Amino acid sequence: MIDLKSKTVEKKATREAFGDEIVELGRNNKDILVVDIDIGGSCKTTKFMNEFPKQHINVGIAEQNGAGLAAGLATTGKIPFVSTYAVFGSLRMAEQIRQEICYPNLNVKIACSHGGLTPANDGGSHQAIEDMGVLRTFPNMTVIMGADYHSTRKLVKQAAEIYGPVFLRFTRDTIPMIYDENEEFEIGKAKHLKDGNDVALIANGDTVHLAIKAAEILESEGVSVKLLDMHTIKPLDREAVLECVEIGKIVTVEDHNIINGLGSAVSEVVAEQGKGKVRRIGVQDQFGQSAPYEKLLELNGITVENIVNTAKELL
Amino acid sequence: MKDISIEELKELAIEMRKTAVTMVYEAQSGHPGGSLSAADFVTALYFREMNINPKNPKWADRDRFVLSKGHVAPIQYSALALQGFVPYDTIHTLREYGSPFQGHPDMKKCPGIDISTGSLGQGLSTAVGMALAGKLDEKDYRVFAVVGDGECQEGQIWEATQSAVKYKLDNLVVFVDDNGLQIDGPTEEVMPNQDLEVKFKAFGFETKRIDGHSMEEIVATLDEVRGANNVKPKAIICNTIKGKGVSYMENVVGWHGKAPNEEQYNQAMTELAGGLN
């Protein structure tokens, strides 16, 4: 298992991973385009814009047109990455994504910073707690959130390589670096961080490092933990979830409303098996507010302590 | 562009109308009113103006056609059937299970459809994306989009418009089917558009208002627009009559999305065979 205690943990926002990787992608493939919606600075596309001005489009504050225009570009073989905040990139352009990107199954990527509670001091209006849930209900859509800088870079690269619509969600705030740069990731395949047989923890995005710490504590108390980084919530790695069903006790952790996110996706598989229990840790179906990011997590019980306690309750 | 006379185009417009009405009659479902108002310029585009190849519908250098007002699919399907993108008999399958002729255009099911549409206000953005890709790739193809006047109530139309102007898309030609009616009534009552030509011009388009049922005017305007590589996208506002060509449908709100019965259908076929007044 990755040992967070063993090293001084460096932190980085995963929007930086997008900003760095998209430059590499754009350099190697002139069909890679960025469609900005006026917030390129905070979505980290400025480097791309400066290096490849001909591959950069800015539609101004007009999300709906950004999504539709990207669909038109994709019909000609371009691979546009529409870049905005997760709350707008999911909800403001939801119908355009459905009608003009997912319905015709076009090769458009929606790459969004400010996922979950990470735009903490911006307040509840800017915190995206429904985005992954809404988009996972669209046929043809793939929904991804990497757990740290390096995994996010790998997943962005893969998103460019697979055909079809992908929603990628990044953090605004910094989160611990978990993986080293040589670690490999596959869209649709959970990252197995630890095997165990008493309880399973399934986390994604900015909560994976919390689940790792919780697993360490549980292990130190003699509890055998299986731990998964479920970076892709759609298509969900059903096989990995079924392994957790064998254990029968599952705690999901996510920076997203507990309705319709990772916890729901896992619960759907578990319910179909008719055995096993799931406890969902995540945003408690309530809007956020301006506060430090850690405070917001705490208000929703998205903490190492709560993961540990919830797991113990299941034992 | 193809060499074809105005008279031949008028004959084809008759076939287009008859085909579209037949489709809606047989399906007992669909949108005849707006199909008929758009019939003449769609005929001119498909049979004269656009560089397209029914044998190679995905030809990379083809002109694109975006039916932003996707509910009038029957008029586009008529063109595709008459041109041979699909067997002509496909017209008997409108809205049937498994048909390439879905209720609204579906690019995954029907050859010759460049983008799926149906949700109003969205098609023009996709047309802008296609035109922009053409500029980026230094290709000569053009993109023709058809939007309804009611559809111009959607804010996204104006988002798309401003981006077409910003990116100097003189390879984009927008036909506005200004028939003055929408589902709930006259556009002037439901939500007045003011003057759509003035609006498009204010956004930076090159504009012209024409009689959308005059094949002579349509063809002359397309000839004008063809050579105008002047960095401006074009909007051709067409004064049209909803239901044009079928007397009892003309300017009647109720014929937006209704199928004729047998008697009405026979009357429509007789009237349409005579051409436009």
Side-chain angles (χ1 to χ4, degrees):
Chain A
M1 179 158 88
I2 282 143
D3 184 3
L4 283 180
K5 290 177 295 191
S6 69
K7 49 188 170 187
T8 313
V9 173
E10 194 191 338
K11 292 171 94 179
K12 232 174 179 180
T14 60
R15 60 176 165 158
E16 302 282 357
F18 170 63
D20 293 341
E21 189 60 35
I22 196 70
V23 170
E24 294 307 314
L25 291 168
R27 182 173 298 128
N28 297 321
N29 183 352
K30 295 299 160 202
D31 283 334
I32 298 272
L33 308 177
V34 166
V35 177
D36 261 328
I37 306 189
D38 192 48
I39 40 182
S42 54
C43 293
K44 300 298 166 191
T45 54
T46 310
K47 232 184 327 179
F48 182 96
M49 176 184 74
N50 290 336
E51 202 159 332
F52 316 110
K54 285 185 180 161
Q55 290 163 251
H56 181 264
I57 294 141
N58 195 333
V59 298
I61 309 165
E63 289 81 6
Q64 302 171 105
N65 184 46
L69 185 149
L73 289 168
T75 63
T76 72
K78 303 289 181 195
I79 308 172
F81 279 71
V82 182
S83 173
T84 179
Y85 294 167
V87 71
F88 310 131
S90 56
L91 303 179
R92 187 62 169 269
M93 52 171 81
E95 206 220 338
Q96 285 73 17
I97 293 173
R98 180 191 187 273
Q99 305 287 4
E100 301 302 337
I101 296 172
C102 289
Y103 181 49
N105 195 23
L106 290 172
N107 199 15
V108 178
K109 320 299 171 185
I110 311 292
C112 292
S113 178
H114 291 49
L117 298 168
T118 70
N121 55 20
D122 283 334
S125 61
H126 280 54
Q127 293 154 9
I129 58 171
E130 315 90 344
D131 52 341
M132 299 176 85
V134 168
L135 291 176
R136 86 179 176 98
T137 65
F138 294 173
N140 296 331
M141 181 58 99
T142 294
V143 181
I144 296 171
M145 185 178 197
D148 79 340
Y149 177 85
H150 287 305
S151 62
T152 299
R153 280 195 69 155
K154 292 275 168 73
L155 291 162
V156 168
K157 184 166 188 281
Q158 267 189 47
E161 287 163 357
I162 64 168
Y163 182 87
V166 179
F167 179 73
L168 291 149
R169 187 204 215 210
F170 316 120
T171 67
R172 182 207 174 278
D173 285 15
T174 62
I175 55 172
M177 310 268 277
I178 295 171
Y179 303 106
D180 68 50
E181 60 186 326
N182 300 318
E183 203 80 46
E184 292 303 325
F185 296 84
E186 192 183 338
I187 289 174
K189 290 277 175 239
K191 187 81 181 165
H192 291 254
L193 296 179
K194 194 193 163 310
D195 249 332
N197 47 35
D198 290 331
V199 67
L201 303 182
I202 307 177
N204 70 359
D206 48 318
T207 69
V208 172
H209 74 98
L210 302 175
I212 291 172
K213 281 184 200 146
E216 285 169 351
I217 293 170
L218 288 162
E219 287 282 334
S220 73
E221 296 178 13
V223 180
S224 172
V225 179
K226 183 180 182 69
L227 177 60
L228 301 180
D229 168 0
M230 194 66 82
H231 46 74
T232 308
I233 75 162
K234 187 190 175 184
L236 188 71
D237 186 346
R238 199 179 158 83
E239 216 168 278
V241 176
L242 290 176
E243 287 175 21
C244 299
V245 172
E246 288 308 310
I247 298 168
K249 304 173 184 78
I250 301 168
V251 180
T252 61
V253 196
E254 62 193 311
D255 180 3
H256 186 279
N257 199 345
I258 56 165
I259 296 175
N260 210 8
L262 171 67
S264 295
V266 168
S267 298
E268 289 158 14
V269 176
V270 175
E272 282 168 358
Q273 299 308 306
K275 58 179 182 179
K277 285 184 181 173
V278 180
R279 294 283 181 275
R280 293 171 296 156
I281 294 176
V283 176
Q284 297 299 303
D285 196 24
Q286 60 183 345
F287 288 111
Q289 54 184 301
S290 289
Y293 167 58
E294 287 74 16
K295 177 72 181 172
L296 292 168
L297 292 177
E298 193 188 313
L299 286 169
N300 287 285
I302 309 171
T303 62
V304 174
E305 190 188 9
N306 191 38
I307 300 169
V308 169
N309 291 339
T310 305
K312 283 181 182 170
E313 282 166 25
L314 275 178
L315 293 173
Chain B
M1 200 200 75
K2 295 171 203 78
D3 187 16
I4 183 170
S5 71
I6 302 267
E7 286 315 309
E8 284 172 296
L9 285 171
K10 286 182 180 176
E11 286 300 317
L12 281 164
I14 291 173
E15 286 314 304
M16 288 277 284
R17 283 191 162 88
K18 284 165 68 179
T19 306
V21 171
T22 299
M23 266 188 251
V24 174
Y25 167 66
E26 289 183 0
Q28 278 300 294
S29 172
H31 297 81
S35 291
L36 294 174
S37 63
D40 298 298
F41 56 79
V42 172
T43 300
L45 287 173
Y46 268 96
F47 293 90
R48 183 174 189 268
E49 192 63 22
M50 292 200 293
N51 291 317
I52 47 176
N53 181 357
K55 303 225 162 14
N56 187 8
K58 293 191 171 170
W59 172 38
D61 293 335
R62 72 190 183 281
D63 288 338
R64 269 74 173 170
F65 181 85
V66 175
L67 191 65
S68 197
K69 49 178 287 185
H71 55 282
V72 305
I75 202 65
Q76 184 179 15
Y77 295 158
S78 297
L80 295 176
L82 288 164
Q83 292 243 330
F85 280 89
V86 292
Y88 186 76
D89 280 353
T90 311
I91 71 160
H92 306 302
T93 67
L94 176 69
R95 295 185 167 223
E96 278 180 10
Y97 175 72
S99 172
F101 289 175
Q102 294 287 297
H104 295 78
D106 181 346
M107 68 185 288
K108 306 303 281 188
K109 294 203 167 62
C110 184
I113 304 282
D114 293 315
I115 184 75
S116 306
T117 54
S119 180
L120 292 176
Q122 300 189 13
L124 189 54
S125 293
T126 67
V128 170
M130 293 173 193
L132 178 54
K135 290 290 181 190
L136 293 174
D137 292 340
E138 295 176 1
K139 284 181 180 284
D140 292 332
Y141 69 73
R142 290 187 295 163
V143 181
F144 297 90
V146 175
V147 305
D149 56 340
E151 185 182 12
C152 289
Q153 292 158 358
E154 291 277 10
Q156 192 183 340
I157 290 289
W158 306 103
E159 293 185 5
T161 302
Q162 65 194 5
S163 61
V165 173
K166 173 184 172 182
Y167 287 102
K168 302 183 168 62
L169 304 180
D170 53 15
N171 54 349
L172 173 69
V173 182
V174 181
F175 277 83
V176 181
D177 186 8
D178 198 359
N179 62 33
L181 299 184
Q182 56 192 113
I183 299 184
D184 274 355
T187 305
E188 275 306 300
E189 286 172 24
V190 177
M191 184 50 68
N193 271 315
Q194 310 307 325
D195 188 329
L196 286 171
E197 190 195 355
V198 172
K199 275 174 135 168
F200 273 93
K201 194 185 281 292
F203 272 77
F205 272 55
E206 181 174 295
T207 63
K208 189 170 182 188
R209 188 179 278 279
I210 64 169
D211 174 354
H213 298 307
S214 160
M215 197 57 82
E216 289 82 357
E217 271 195 62
I218 293 166
V219 165
T221 305
L222 285 169
D223 283 345
E224 259 174 57
V225 156
R226 196 176 312 114
N229 300 323
N230 55 359
V231 309
K232 283 187 174 187
K234 332 284 190 243
I236 302 168
I237 320 300
C238 299
N239 293 330
T240 55
I241 292 167
K242 206 158 175 172
K244 179 70 177 181
V246 179
S247 59
Y248 59 86
M249 289 188 188
E250 286 188 4
N251 267 325
V252 177
V253 169
W255 285 101
H256 171 85
K258 192 171 78 170
N261 62 26
E262 190 181 353
E263 190 187 335
Q264 289 165 330
Y265 172 67
N266 291 332
Q267 185 187 337
M269 287 298 109
T270 308
E271 290 184 14
L272 288 172
L276 298 185
N277 301 322

